[in-house]
Amino acid sequence: MKYIDYIGQRINLHKEIVKSIIEVMDKHGKEEVNLLEKEEIGAAWLIRVHDWSNEITEVQVVAVKVENGVLFYKGKENGEVDEEWQTMAVEDDVVSATIDSVYTAVYLTLED
C-alpha cells in the first residue's frame, strides 16, 4: 500500500484556503474585514499553538487583513483580543486545515 501524505495535503489545503480568503477580499476591495460585523454569520474559529508554551488553543477569529499579499488575523481567546496581528501561516502558529470557518465567515460577510 502506498503511503498517503495527509500532513502535506492538510498544509496544501490550508494554503488554498488562505489564497481563497485573499481572493474574496480582493474582489470586494477590502484590505481588512471585521468578522463580528454581522452577528447572523456566526463565529470563525481556528486552532493555534503558542510558541512560548507549546499550548494549543482554539481562538475566535474576529478580524482578518491582507498586507503585501500576506493574510493576518486577530484572535479572541478567554475574552481577550490579540493586540498584534498574527499571520495566518501554517508555518507559524496556525494548525493546518483549521481555518475553513474563517473563509466561510469572510465570504458570507462580503458576499451578502
Side-chain angles (χ1 to χ4, degrees):
M1 181 173 168
K2 182 182 168 193
Y3 174 75
I4 301 171
D5 182 8
Y6 288 113
I7 293 171
Q9 289 180 17
R10 283 196 328 257
I11 290 170
N12 287 335
L13 175 61
H14 179 96
K15 290 177 180 178
E16 285 297 313
I17 294 170
V18 166
K19 180 180 169 188
S20 295
I21 293 169
I22 292 171
E23 287 174 358
V24 76
M25 290 176 69
D26 283 347
K27 175 184 172 192
H28 290 274
K30 298 286 188 178
E31 293 179 359
E32 191 172 320
V33 178
N34 175 356
L35 297 178
L36 300 179
E37 188 173 289
K38 296 182 178 180
E39 290 181 25
E40 67 275 7
I41 291 179
W45 298 86
L46 60 79
I47 299 170
R48 67 181 177 189
V49 179
H50 294 291
D51 290 335
W52 62 89
S53 67
N54 282 335
E55 179 183 345
I56 297 173
T57 57
E58 182 177 43
V59 297
Q60 181 182 17
V61 178
V62 298
V64 292
K65 79 171 183 174
V66 177
E67 188 174 285
N68 297 322
V70 177
L71 185 64
F72 295 89
Y73 73 96
K74 282 198 176 184
K76 184 176 182 181
E77 180 181 348
N78 298 324
E80 305 254 340
V81 176
D82 296 333
E83 291 182 22
E84 304 291 324
W85 288 96
Q86 312 296 315
T87 59
M88 189 72 81
V90 70
E91 297 86 0
D92 288 336
D93 66 347
V94 176
V95 175
S96 64
T98 65
I99 66 167
D100 54 311
S101 69
V102 178
Y103 169 76
T104 300
V106 170
Y107 182 88
L108 292 175
T109 298
L110 297 178
E111 290 289 330
D112 189 27

